Amino acid sequence: MRPTRDDSKLDDNARVQRGAFLFNPEADAEEMRPGDGQSEAAGPTAVVTPWPTMVDGAYYGPLGEAARLMEPLTEADPAAVLVHLLVAFGSAVGRGPRLVIGSIRQTANLFAVIVGKSSKARKGTAWSNAREIIGPADEEWAKDRIKSGLSSGEGVIHAVRDAVIAREPIREGGKKTGKIVEYQEVEVDAGESDKRLLVVEPEFARTLKAASRRESTLSPVLREAWDSGSLSTLTKSPYKATGAHVSIVGHITKDELKRELSVCDSVNGYANRFLWCCARRARELPFGERRVGDAAAPAMVHIQSAIMWARARGDDFVVSMDSGARQLWRAIYSRLSADQPGLVGSVLGRAEAQVLRIALVYALADESDSVRRPHLEAALALWHFVEESAQNIFGDALGDSVADEILRVLRESPEGMTREGICDHFNRHTSAPRLTEALRLLAENGLATCTKEAARGGIGRPAERWFAVAKRREGSEESDVSGIRSATSLANLANLAPVREENPPAMRQAQNPQNPQNRAGVASGDAEEIEL
């Protein structure tokens, strides 16, 4: 186990400076680069979502160190590099390590999607940087277990399939028409002995399209891959998989994501199994990039050692949570498990499980057999970035197409719109009950308000005029307490749980005798294209 920082000796101000939790609402006011934020309509109801910030606390341990060492040498967003490193490391260690808290069992396989402008966000560069660091640690995994072409559930199962055993008859005299004497079991397909699979999908919009097809099994298979690793379909296919360890990282633009992610995906648990992360080009290097592996060599040695250490612990390596982490988890749990409205709430609906999985990855990279407070703090810092990214990507969208369209036109109409005007906007093709439900949804979520106007001539029912509610400055005293950056933030809750580790885990007595030396070789190139 590598030595880690001890934040218990720091006061709150020092902890903030160390970046354990730097969730400062005032940082939201920082000016964004043109085109980076989400802006809808000019005027008093305009919505501008700040660009998400990966705080220093997320760059913890050898994975964070590697991302930081590479940062000056690459145009890739360091946040995207870190997320790729976490997903790749979690895939390489396999399904053996698991975090157990009561009946809860979480493994290290993560699903993530990097969202940024096509060709300009350097999403592919971020993956290349991460692969250069993780690949040499397990060359067979890097060569054979990284795939792309995610298009069907059956394809995923086939990539991690169990052996197929069939019963064949033994006939008298060896003749095809002879009497059956007995049956024997014959191995028809040897299956995949290595159940690790990292799917790198540079065109994730294609995956979303495939999942939305009427007869597609991709969405339910991926949900099971994230949950349990036991995969099968109700078809005549002989293939099934047990103990599968599937990890995914996809790349997509914001426009493609909004167009292809269906309402069904957001509510059926498919979307909330992914970490949605914004990315943009970090810097301009007109003369190209230097070899990032050389710069990150010190961290790479530790990462390679950690992968070998975790793999050597076997298929049933139980990781616990120590007392300091438990205190923090108890303080933060209510905040993580609270419901949030709209589409953002749907895609962040698995916060508790996601934070535990990220913390497990940080712990394994530290060669620790328990999740400690620094690991959980790093996971919370990264989850905070995911929350901000989701807010930037989806904004106030509710996942209801009619309600979202009404909100858009209301924001373009400072004078408001009558119900009749709203009906005309839809060319009167939307029923009155459907419009009523959409307006009710907007009002319940504080996104629209209604006033009554006297009917012309004073005869008849008063007319309704609807207005978009101007979005208040996030982080202010007037801001909605259910917002992502409310006064009751992850930072404040974390500081309520002081560290009281009287008996911190002892460091391992001996280093791994197979501790790898820094190797110059890297696993380069794009992922192998297969039809999954």
Side-chain angles (χ1 to χ4, degrees), residues 9 20 83 100 118-119 133 160 177 195 209 223 242 260 305 311 313-314 379 388 402-404 433 475 518:
K9 298 178 181 179
V83 171
V100 178
S118 178
S119 77
I133 302 301
V160 288
T177 57
K195 294 306 184 78
K209 285 182 180 179
R223 294 200 301 269
T242 55
E260 301 298 342
S305 174
R311 296 284 291 166
R313 300 299 293 268
E388 284 194 329
V402 175
D404 289 337
N518 183 31

Side-chain angles (χ1 to χ4, degrees), residues 458-487:
I459 301 175
R461 292 186 301 174
E464 293 181 2
R465 182 170 292 274
W466 286 84
F467 299 85
V469 175
K471 190 172 182 181
R472 291 163 292 192
R473 184 171 179 265
E474 295 172 350
S476 68
E477 292 181 359
E478 299 176 352
S479 183
D480 184 357
V481 295
S482 67
I484 284 180
R485 280 191 175 275
S486 64

Side-chain angles (χ1 to χ4, degrees), residues 286-299:
F287 297 104
E289 303 176 352
R290 291 167 51 193
R291 186 181 175 88
V292 296
D294 294 339

Side-chain angles (χ1 to χ4, degrees), residues 66-67 70 73-77 80-85 88 114 121-136 141-142 146 198 200-202 249-251 289-294 296 300 520-527:
M70 290 187 284
L73 308 178
T74 176
E75 291 188 343
D77 192 323
V81 174
L82 176 61
V83 171
H84 279 92
L85 285 170
I114 310 300
R122 301 298 188 261
K123 303 183 290 289
T125 303
W127 161 238
S128 297
N129 294 160
R131 181 166 184 162
E132 189 169 344
I133 302 301
I134 304 293
W141 165 82
I146 300 178
L198 173 57
V200 180
E201 190 50 69
V249 60
H251 301 160
E289 303 176 352
R290 291 167 51 193
R291 186 181 175 88
V292 296
D294 294 339
M300 187 160 57
V522 295
S524 59
D526 294 330

Side-chain angles (χ1 to χ4, degrees), residues 26-39:
E26 294 181 2
D28 283 359
E30 70 172 349
E31 186 176 0
M32 296 177 298
R33 301 177 186 176
D36 282 338
Q38 173 182 313
S39 178

Side-chain angles (χ1 to χ4, degrees), residues 63 84-97 108-110 127 130-131 133-142 145-146 194-199 245-248 303-304 306-312 314-315 361 364:
L63 297 173
H84 279 92
L85 285 170
L86 288 164
V87 176
F89 181 90
S91 172
V93 298
R95 199 170 191 84
N109 58 312
L110 299 172
W127 161 238
R131 181 166 184 162
I133 302 301
I134 304 293
D138 191 331
E139 293 179 345
E140 289 188 5
W141 165 82
R145 305 312 299 156
I146 300 178
D194 190 343
K195 294 306 184 78
R196 296 174 297 174
L197 175 66
L198 173 57
V199 182
H245 188 72
V246 180
S247 305
I248 300 173
I303 292 170
Q304 293 174 355
I307 292 174
M308 296 176 65
W309 172 79
R311 296 284 291 166
D315 293 335
V361 172
L364 294 174

Side-chain angles (χ1 to χ4, degrees), residues 2-12 14-16 18-20 60-61 322-325 327 366 372-375 377 497-505 507:
R2 299 178 63 249
T4 58
R5 73 185 189 213
D6 181 7
D7 286 336
S8 62
K9 298 178 181 179
L10 302 177
D11 57 25
D12 287 345
R15 285 166 56 76
V16 169
R18 286 288 295 271
Y60 173 85
D322 77 354
S323 59
Q327 288 177 331
D366 247 357
R372 303 198 304 280
R373 181 169 178 130
H375 306 138
E377 287 179 341
V499 177
R500 295 194 184 112
E501 280 191 273
E502 297 179 358
N503 297 308
M507 294 178 58

